Amino acid sequence: MSKTDTDTSRDREELGAAGSQLSTAPQEEQTSLPGLGVIGWARWFWRQLTSMRVALLLLLLLSLGAIPGSLIPQTGADASKVEDFRAAHKTLAPVYDKLGLFHVYSSVWFSAIYILLFVSLIGCIVPRTWQFVGQLRGRPPGAPKRLDRLPAHTAWRTTADPERVREAALALLRKRRFRAHVVGDAVAAEKGYLRELGNLVFHIALIVLLVAFASGQLYKSDGTKLMVEGDGFSNALPMYDDFKSGSLFEPDDLVPFSFTLKDFKGTYELTGPNRGTARTFQAKIRYSKGAYGKETTTTIKVNEPLKIDDSKVYLVSHGYAPVITVRDGKGNVVYRDAVPLLPLDGNVTSQGVVKVMDGYRDAKGKKEQLGIKAFFLPTYGGAGMEIASAFPALLNPVLNLEPYHGDLGVDSGLPQSVYQLDKTHMKDYKDAKGAQLRDNLKPGETMTLPNGAGSITFEKDVKEWAGFEIVQEPGGGWALTGALAAIFGLAASLFIQRRRVWVRAVRGADGVTLVEMAGLGRSESAKVPEELGDLAGILYDQAPGAPDPDDDSAATPDPQAVPAEGAEK
C-alpha cells in the first residue's frame, strides 16, 4: 500500500470522527443470529423491536388495523347495527366474530400491535435521549487534520496573527448562536441541536397520543338524552336514554352537573332555492355544576357544545312534541303530555306512539290500555300532500291519529320501544263506515272515540324537543397536546439543519497566517456552503487576505465554499 493510500484512509477516519454523533439515531450493526439460549434470543428480539424500521412497520399495521373499525359496525358504537349485520350476513358474521372485527379496538390482535408499538417507541426514545443529553453536556469535536476534504471548504492567507483570527472567529460564531470553543489551533462550532430535540419530541408525542387514546377508550363515556322543552337532566346513569362506556369506567367518574332545557329554536330559509334549509339550531338551557352550583344560562348550538370539566354536551337532533290529552269514557283526563315524535325527513315529517298504560276505562268501566299511532306534519300541504310535510317549521301543523285499544304487552316483562306499537293484542276502533278510525287534527281539535270510549285532543301547544349527546373523554386534552407537540417536533426535525463549522489559523514558514474554514452537515444541504461563505466573508473583513504572487486565488475566500473533491489535485 502506498503512502498516499495510507493518508487517504487516515483522512477518512478523521472525517468520520468529526462528523460523528450529528444524530442520536442508533448505529446499525451487522449482528448474526444468537446461538441457542433464552437470553440470546431475548436480546435479539429486543434489538429488532426497538429498531426504527419495526416501529414504522407497527405504526403502519396500527393504521391498517383501524380500517375495519371504520368500515364494519362496532358493538361499542352501535350494537343494533351489529345485530342487523349478523342477520344480513349469516356466513360472514361468524368469521368476523372469530377475527374480532366487531370490536376491533379491544381485540387481542389490535391490542398486541398497540402495546408492541408503545414498547418499541420507549425502547427507541430512552437511549437516544441519554445520548442527546450527553451531546448537550459535551463540546463540539476538534477539527479534522485535513479540512480541505470536507464537503464545504475555503481558505486564504492573511497577515493577521493566528490568535487574533481565532478570537474573531470564536466571537463571530457565538454571535451566530453556534456553540463554539477553541481546540488547539482551530475553533470548533456546532449549531442545530433543536433538530434532534424535535425528533425526540415527535417520538415522545406519539407515546402521549397512544396513552391519551388508551385512557380515552378505557375511561370514556358516551350517552344520549332526548329532552322536551321544560325537561331537566342530571348527569347520572338512570337519566340516559342510551349509554356506552369504556371497560374501566365507573359511575362515580361522571362529572356532576345538571341542566334544564328552557327553549329550543330552529329557523329556516322561507324563500329562494334554499327554501327549507336550516339557518340556526340552538337550545337555551340553565345548568349548574355540582349539587349546589350556581345556575347559569347559556345556549348550545350545533358544533358549539357546553363544556363542563371533561364533559361536553352536544346538540345533535331535534323534533316536535305535540301535547296530547286523552279522556276516558267518563270524561276524566287519564293522560296529558308532550309526546316526542321522531323525524322521518328533512321537513321534519314525524311519527311516534302514544301509550296510555294506566287509568283508562271505557264507557262500561272496563280497564284497558290505549295505543295511538301518531303522524305529524309541521306544515300540512292540503289534499294530496298528506304523506309528507311541505316545510320544517310550524306553519300549518296537522296531527294524524290512529287509535287502538286492548293490551299493550308492557306487563309481559319484555322490553319494547316507546316509538313502536305492538298490535298483537290490540283492536282498532271503527268509524261510522266500519273502516279503521283515523283523523287529521289541527291544534285545539278533538277526536271522539266511538261508543263513548272517550276522546283524544290535540292541544294548541306544540313543544319542541332536542337530542343531546353527553361525551366524557378524560384523555382529550393530552391527545391535543400530543398532536400539537408531534407537529412542531416533526417540523423541527425536517427544517432545522444540524451542522458543524471549523476555523483553523496557523502561521506558515514564511510568517503569513493560513486561515482555513470548513463545514459539515448531517445531510446534504445547500445551507452549509451558503452559511460558510457568509461567515468567511465576515471573517475575511476582519482578517484581510495577504497578496501571494504564487497563488492569487488564496488571497480571497471562495464565497461558494470549494467542494472537498476539488480542493486538492
Side-chain angles (χ1 to χ4, degrees), residues 460-521:
K460 294 182 178 181
D461 184 16
V462 179
K463 296 186 177 182
E464 297 190 56
W465 60 262
F468 297 95
E469 183 177 8
I470 297 92
V471 180
Q472 185 168 322
E473 294 178 338
W478 285 103
L480 178 60
T481 302
L484 294 176
I487 293 173
F488 286 109
L490 183 60
S493 65
L494 291 176
F495 297 109
I496 296 178
Q497 295 292 330
R498 189 170 177 186
R499 62 271 191 198
R500 288 171 179 165
V501 173
W502 292 275
V503 181
R504 175 176 284 142
V506 294
R507 190 183 301 276
D510 57 356
V512 180
T513 301
L514 175 63
V515 180
E516 290 183 287
M517 295 185 67
L520 179 65

Side-chain angles (χ1 to χ4, degrees), residues 127-151:
R128 294 184 67 159
T129 301
W130 283 114
Q131 185 177 354
F132 181 64
V133 171
Q135 293 181 19
L136 290 179
R137 297 179 61 184
R139 289 186 172 187
K145 183 177 180 180
R146 297 288 300 274
L147 289 179
D148 57 350
R149 293 192 177 276
L150 294 183

